[in-house]
mmCIF file of all heavy atoms in Angstrom:
data_model
loop_
_atom_site.group_PDB
_atom_site.id
_atom_site.type_symbol
_atom_site.label_atom_id
_atom_site.label_comp_id
_atom_site.label_asym_id
_atom_site.label_seq_id
_atom_site.Cartn_x
_atom_site.Cartn_y
_atom_site.Cartn_z
ATOM 1 N N ASP A 23 -20.969 3.088 -2.653
ATOM 2 C CA ASP A 23 -21.953 4.099 -2.297
ATOM 3 C C ASP A 23 -21.509 4.997 -1.166
ATOM 4 O O ASP A 23 -22.018 6.132 -1.030
ATOM 5 C CB ASP A 23 -23.298 3.408 -1.953
ATOM 6 C CG ASP A 23 -23.143 2.344 -0.833
ATOM 7 O OD1 ASP A 23 -22.042 1.714 -0.794
ATOM 8 O OD2 ASP A 23 -24.051 2.229 0.005
ATOM 9 N N LYS A 24 -20.522 4.642 -0.410
ATOM 10 C CA LYS A 24 -19.914 5.510 0.660
ATOM 11 C C LYS A 24 -18.506 5.826 0.220
ATOM 12 O O LYS A 24 -17.665 6.138 1.078
ATOM 13 C CB LYS A 24 -19.917 4.755 2.004
ATOM 14 C CG LYS A 24 -21.354 4.398 2.503
ATOM 15 C CD LYS A 24 -22.035 5.710 2.925
ATOM 16 C CE LYS A 24 -23.486 5.423 3.371
ATOM 17 N NZ LYS A 24 -24.297 6.651 3.476
ATOM 18 N N LEU A 25 -18.252 5.845 -1.039
ATOM 19 C CA LEU A 25 -16.891 6.169 -1.559
ATOM 20 C C LEU A 25 -15.773 5.379 -0.841
ATOM 21 O O LEU A 25 -14.711 5.851 -0.576
ATOM 22 C CB LEU A 25 -16.649 7.708 -1.507
ATOM 23 C CG LEU A 25 -17.630 8.600 -2.192
ATOM 24 C CD1 LEU A 25 -17.173 10.044 -2.171
ATOM 25 C CD2 LEU A 25 -17.924 8.111 -3.593
ATOM 26 N N ALA A 27 -15.447 4.434 2.120
ATOM 27 C CA ALA A 27 -14.974 4.908 3.428
ATOM 28 C C ALA A 27 -14.729 3.673 4.350
ATOM 29 O O ALA A 27 -15.429 2.666 4.283
ATOM 30 C CB ALA A 27 -16.049 5.799 4.101
ATOM 31 N N LYS A 60 -15.318 6.454 -8.569
ATOM 32 C CA LYS A 60 -15.039 7.753 -7.928
ATOM 33 C C LYS A 60 -13.899 7.761 -6.912
ATOM 34 O O LYS A 60 -13.211 8.757 -6.775
ATOM 35 C CB LYS A 60 -16.265 8.292 -7.228
ATOM 36 C CG LYS A 60 -17.225 9.057 -8.140
ATOM 37 C CD LYS A 60 -18.385 9.604 -7.436
ATOM 38 C CE LYS A 60 -18.112 10.858 -6.654
ATOM 39 N NZ LYS A 60 -19.352 11.518 -6.165
ATOM 40 N N ALA A 64 -12.344 7.265 0.578
ATOM 41 C CA ALA A 64 -12.589 8.654 0.937
ATOM 42 C C ALA A 64 -12.401 8.896 2.438
ATOM 43 O O ALA A 64 -12.926 9.882 2.961
ATOM 44 C CB ALA A 64 -13.949 9.129 0.452
ATOM 45 N N GLY A 65 -11.647 8.056 3.121
ATOM 46 C CA GLY A 65 -11.300 8.275 4.471
ATOM 47 C C GLY A 65 -11.947 7.294 5.442
ATOM 48 O O GLY A 65 -12.649 6.345 5.076
ATOM 49 N N ALA A 66 -11.688 7.528 6.777
ATOM 50 C CA ALA A 66 -12.373 6.784 7.748
ATOM 51 C C ALA A 66 -13.824 7.161 7.688
ATOM 52 O O ALA A 66 -14.218 8.257 7.218
ATOM 53 C CB ALA A 66 -11.793 7.150 9.127
ATOM 54 N N ASP A 67 -14.705 6.251 8.162
ATOM 55 C CA ASP A 67 -16.122 6.536 8.092
ATOM 56 C C ASP A 67 -16.522 7.567 9.092
ATOM 57 O O ASP A 67 -16.406 7.369 10.327
ATOM 58 C CB ASP A 67 -16.897 5.238 8.319
ATOM 59 C CG ASP A 67 -18.362 5.355 7.925
ATOM 60 O OD1 ASP A 67 -19.004 6.335 8.426
ATOM 61 O OD2 ASP A 67 -18.876 4.529 7.196
ATOM 62 N N ILE A 68 -16.959 8.729 8.628
ATOM 63 C CA ILE A 68 -17.199 9.913 9.458
ATOM 64 C C ILE A 68 -18.394 9.642 10.378
ATOM 65 O O ILE A 68 -18.443 10.187 11.503
ATOM 66 C CB ILE A 68 -17.430 11.175 8.634
ATOM 67 C CG1 ILE A 68 -16.084 11.455 7.886
ATOM 68 C CG2 ILE A 68 -17.761 12.368 9.493
ATOM 69 C CD1 ILE A 68 -16.190 12.557 6.826
ATOM 70 N N LEU A 71 -16.610 8.098 13.274
ATOM 71 C CA LEU A 71 -15.766 9.177 13.921
ATOM 72 C C LEU A 71 -16.549 9.988 14.841
ATOM 73 O O LEU A 71 -16.137 10.299 15.971
ATOM 74 C CB LEU A 71 -15.151 10.056 12.873
ATOM 75 C CG LEU A 71 -13.947 9.613 12.074
ATOM 76 C CD1 LEU A 71 -13.614 10.670 11.083
ATOM 77 C CD2 LEU A 71 -12.805 9.357 12.990
ATOM 78 N N PHE A 107 -10.663 9.456 -5.353
ATOM 79 C CA PHE A 107 -10.388 10.141 -4.038
ATOM 80 C C PHE A 107 -9.561 9.189 -3.116
ATOM 81 O O PHE A 107 -9.900 8.013 -2.875
ATOM 82 C CB PHE A 107 -11.620 10.472 -3.292
ATOM 83 C CG PHE A 107 -12.400 11.601 -3.918
ATOM 84 C CD1 PHE A 107 -13.668 11.407 -4.499
ATOM 85 C CD2 PHE A 107 -11.913 12.901 -3.899
ATOM 86 C CE1 PHE A 107 -14.314 12.450 -5.062
ATOM 87 C CE2 PHE A 107 -12.613 13.996 -4.404
ATOM 88 C CZ PHE A 107 -13.837 13.761 -5.069
ATOM 89 N N LEU A 109 -8.464 10.097 0.384
ATOM 90 C CA LEU A 109 -8.565 11.194 1.388
ATOM 91 C C LEU A 109 -8.451 10.584 2.807
ATOM 92 O O LEU A 109 -8.890 9.478 3.126
ATOM 93 C CB LEU A 109 -9.854 11.934 1.261
ATOM 94 C CG LEU A 109 -10.227 12.419 -0.130
ATOM 95 C CD1 LEU A 109 -11.562 13.171 -0.121
ATOM 96 C CD2 LEU A 109 -9.156 13.343 -0.591
ATOM 97 N N GLY A 110 -7.821 11.381 3.710
ATOM 98 C CA GLY A 110 -7.739 10.974 5.093
ATOM 99 C C GLY A 110 -7.175 9.562 5.216
ATOM 100 O O GLY A 110 -6.100 9.299 4.720
ATOM 101 N N PRO A 133 -7.855 15.789 4.941
ATOM 102 C CA PRO A 133 -8.780 16.841 5.290
ATOM 103 C C PRO A 133 -9.277 16.794 6.742
ATOM 104 O O PRO A 133 -10.267 17.421 7.067
ATOM 105 C CB PRO A 133 -9.936 16.674 4.314
ATOM 106 C CG PRO A 133 -9.903 15.201 4.021
ATOM 107 C CD PRO A 133 -8.501 14.662 4.174
ATOM 108 N N GLU A 134 -8.534 16.010 7.581
ATOM 109 C CA GLU A 134 -9.059 15.836 8.985
ATOM 110 C C GLU A 134 -9.280 17.158 9.720
ATOM 111 O O GLU A 134 -10.181 17.242 10.555
ATOM 112 C CB GLU A 134 -8.114 14.938 9.759
ATOM 113 C CG GLU A 134 -8.117 13.463 9.386
ATOM 114 C CD GLU A 134 -7.155 13.106 8.233
ATOM 115 O OE1 GLU A 134 -6.642 14.091 7.579
ATOM 116 O OE2 GLU A 134 -6.982 11.941 8.001
ATOM 117 N N LEU A 137 -12.538 18.474 10.148
ATOM 118 C CA LEU A 137 -13.465 17.717 11.075
ATOM 119 C C LEU A 137 -12.992 17.933 12.520
ATOM 120 O O LEU A 137 -13.587 17.376 13.398
ATOM 121 C CB LEU A 137 -13.421 16.264 10.768
ATOM 122 C CG LEU A 137 -13.772 15.860 9.320
ATOM 123 C CD1 LEU A 137 -13.438 14.374 9.104
ATOM 124 C CD2 LEU A 137 -15.205 16.125 9.034
HETATM 125 N N1 COA B 1 -17.254 8.703 5.697
HETATM 126 C C1 COA B 1 -18.541 8.348 5.577
HETATM 127 N N2 COA B 1 -19.276 8.535 4.479
HETATM 128 C C2 COA B 1 -18.635 9.102 3.483
HETATM 129 C C3 COA B 1 -17.285 9.555 3.489
HETATM 130 C C4 COA B 1 -16.599 9.297 4.674
HETATM 131 N N3 COA B 1 -15.303 9.618 4.829
HETATM 132 N N4 COA B 1 -16.985 10.101 2.335
HETATM 133 C C5 COA B 1 -18.070 10.045 1.572
HETATM 134 N N5 COA B 1 -19.069 9.492 2.209
HETATM 135 C C6 COA B 1 -20.408 9.211 1.772
HETATM 136 C C7 COA B 1 -21.290 10.474 1.745
HETATM 137 O O1 COA B 1 -21.829 10.698 3.012
HETATM 138 C C8 COA B 1 -22.365 10.058 0.723
HETATM 139 O O2 COA B 1 -23.268 9.174 1.425
HETATM 140 P P1 COA B 1 -24.844 9.392 1.192
HETATM 141 O O3 COA B 1 -25.075 9.194 -0.281
HETATM 142 O O4 COA B 1 -25.447 8.233 1.996
HETATM 143 O O5 COA B 1 -25.172 10.753 1.669
HETATM 144 C C9 COA B 1 -21.585 9.226 -0.249
HETATM 145 O O6 COA B 1 -20.386 8.789 0.408
HETATM 146 C C10 COA B 1 -21.181 10.014 -1.494
HETATM 147 O O7 COA B 1 -20.393 11.129 -1.013
HETATM 148 P P2 COA B 1 -20.780 12.645 -1.499
HETATM 149 O O8 COA B 1 -20.217 13.587 -0.444
HETATM 150 O O9 COA B 1 -22.212 12.736 -1.781
HETATM 151 O O10 COA B 1 -19.905 12.717 -2.829
HETATM 152 P P3 COA B 1 -19.343 14.059 -3.506
HETATM 153 O O11 COA B 1 -18.843 13.643 -4.892
HETATM 154 O O12 COA B 1 -20.288 15.180 -3.437
HETATM 155 O O13 COA B 1 -18.048 14.481 -2.606
HETATM 156 C C11 COA B 1 -16.041 14.036 -1.401
HETATM 157 C C12 COA B 1 -16.977 13.623 -2.595
HETATM 158 C C13 COA B 1 -14.979 13.006 -1.290
HETATM 159 C C14 COA B 1 -15.410 15.408 -1.665
HETATM 160 C C15 COA B 1 -16.897 14.103 -0.110
HETATM 161 O O14 COA B 1 -17.616 12.848 0.018
HETATM 162 C C16 COA B 1 -16.057 14.196 1.168
HETATM 163 O O15 COA B 1 -15.572 15.333 1.455
HETATM 164 N N6 COA B 1 -15.895 13.120 1.906
HETATM 165 C C17 COA B 1 -15.255 13.138 3.251
HETATM 166 C C18 COA B 1 -13.754 13.219 3.011
HETATM 167 C C19 COA B 1 -13.087 13.284 4.354
HETATM 168 O O16 COA B 1 -13.124 14.224 5.111
HETATM 169 N N7 COA B 1 -12.274 12.242 4.674
HETATM 170 C C20 COA B 1 -11.492 12.184 5.821
HETATM 171 C C21 COA B 1 -12.162 11.488 6.946
HETATM 172 S S1 COA B 1 -11.066 11.388 8.380
#
Side-chain angles (χ1 to χ4, degrees):
D23 53 326
K24 296 292 176 192
L25 303 187
K60 275 181 80 171
D67 192 310
I68 298 171
L71 280 177
F107 289 111
L109 307 181
E134 287 88 349
L137 305 170

